[in-house]
Amino acid sequence: DGGITQSPKYLFRKEGQNVTLSCEQNLNHDAMYWYRQDPGQGLRLIYYSQIVNDFQKGDIAEGYSVSREKKESFPLTVTSAQKNPTAFYLCASIADTNTEAFFGQGTRLTVV
Amino acid sequence: AQSVTQLGSHVSVSEGALVLLRCNYSSSVPPYLFWYVQYPNQGLQLLLKYTSAATLVKGINGFEAEFKKSETSFHLTKPSAHMSDAAEYFCAVGDSNYQLIWGAGTKLIIKP
């Protein structure tokens, strides 16, 4: 079955460490997205990519980095510059503009 | 700029009662509208979408939504709430540039 896979589901990070969240899709979608979700704050866009080797900052890109070397993969790195990284992270993809987004199951990152 | 407003961060209904979750949008072009559901610690799942084919849209789990252009609304309803409907619900509008604009979400609480 086609879908989006995020891994790991739970991730713990020590302060000062970088950590990378994986997102893979086999839907053949061009566009991929990373969102951050905090309690009561809905979805906030971190980065998005519409084609391979190109990506754009979203509303809260500071302290994060991404790459898009393959159509199927859009990993997110949470760097030590991110002041408050504890959150639920969601990856999504869409096939075309004005079509629905498909989501992964999310990664819960906790800084310890 | 397009925007989405969901009235009520929390809505509480009794089991068996009508569910009504409100969504208003602003859009300068004919909108593509979506409702998603999110269960705790999971990704978002599409409930239904409006793409101008019909103003009353039926979705999964007995939910439906009616597009009212004059009111710029796309409210989500279900005739009889079930305990399993307890979740957070998000309304979104497509912006014709590979972006989805999200509402802040409404948490639906079902009272036994």
Side-chain angles (χ1 to χ4, degrees):
Chain A
D1 288 336
I4 298 182
T5 301
Q6 288 187 242
S7 62
K9 188 167 178 62
Y10 298 96
L11 188 57
F12 297 88
R13 190 195 89 173
K14 291 183 179 179
E15 285 193 23
Q17 285 183 337
N18 292 355
V19 65
T20 298
L21 283 59
S22 172
C23 178
E24 303 277 333
Q25 55 103 354
N26 60 3
L27 300 166
N28 199 34
H29 287 175
D30 285 319
M32 297 186 73
Y33 305 80
W34 275 105
Y35 292 97
R36 171 176 171 145
Q37 196 173 26
D38 297 281
Q41 295 201 38
L43 298 171
R44 293 189 288 169
L45 182 64
I46 305 172
Y47 269 98
Y48 64 99
S49 167
Q50 294 180 5
I51 56 172
V52 174
N53 292 322
D54 187 47
F55 46 83
Q56 307 297 327
K57 291 182 179 180
D59 301 319
I60 56 164
E62 186 175 351
Y64 299 97
S65 65
V66 293
S67 62
R68 188 84 186 277
E69 297 176 1
K70 299 186 299 181
K71 188 175 186 178
E72 302 80 17
S73 179
F74 191 42
L76 173 74
T77 297
V78 184
T79 76
S80 56
Q82 169 50 235
K83 295 288 189 286
N84 185 20
T86 295
F88 191 56
Y89 291 87
L90 287 163
C91 179
S93 70
I94 66 172
D96 199 354
T97 191
N98 286 325
T99 60
E100 67 265 32
F102 290 77
F103 283 82
Q105 288 300 296
T107 294
R108 184 164 296 281
L109 173 63
T110 304
V111 173
V112 296
Chain B
Q2 290 168 301
S3 66
V4 175
T5 301
Q6 290 185 240
L7 284 177
S9 60
H10 293 76
V11 169
S12 180
V13 302
S14 297
E15 192 174 16
L18 171 72
V19 175
L20 171 60
L21 303 182
R22 301 177 187 273
C23 174
N24 289 89
Y25 68 92
S26 69
S27 175
S28 57
V29 298
Y32 289 78
L33 294 158
F34 307 87
W35 273 103
Y36 285 80
V37 61
Q38 185 183 30
Y39 299 100
N41 291 313
Q42 294 188 25
L44 277 69
Q45 178 185 4
L46 181 71
L47 271 177
L48 49 81
K49 61 183 178 182
Y50 168 75
T51 57
S52 77
T55 57
L56 183 62
V57 181
K58 294 189 183 300
I60 62 172
N61 302 339
F63 284 93
E64 62 182 34
E66 186 173 9
F67 171 69
K68 292 187 177 180
K69 184 178 179 180
S70 61
E71 299 177 7
T72 60
S73 69
F74 190 56
H75 300 333
L76 182 71
T77 61
K78 182 174 180 177
S80 178
H82 192 272
M83 295 300 290
S84 61
D85 295 325
E88 190 157 19
Y89 293 80
F90 291 91
C91 181
V93 62
D95 81 342
S96 301
N97 191 30
Y98 283 90
Q99 294 298 322
L100 284 173
I101 311 303
W102 296 91
T106 297
K107 192 160 289 188
L108 178 62
I109 301 160
I110 311 296
K111 297 179 291 185

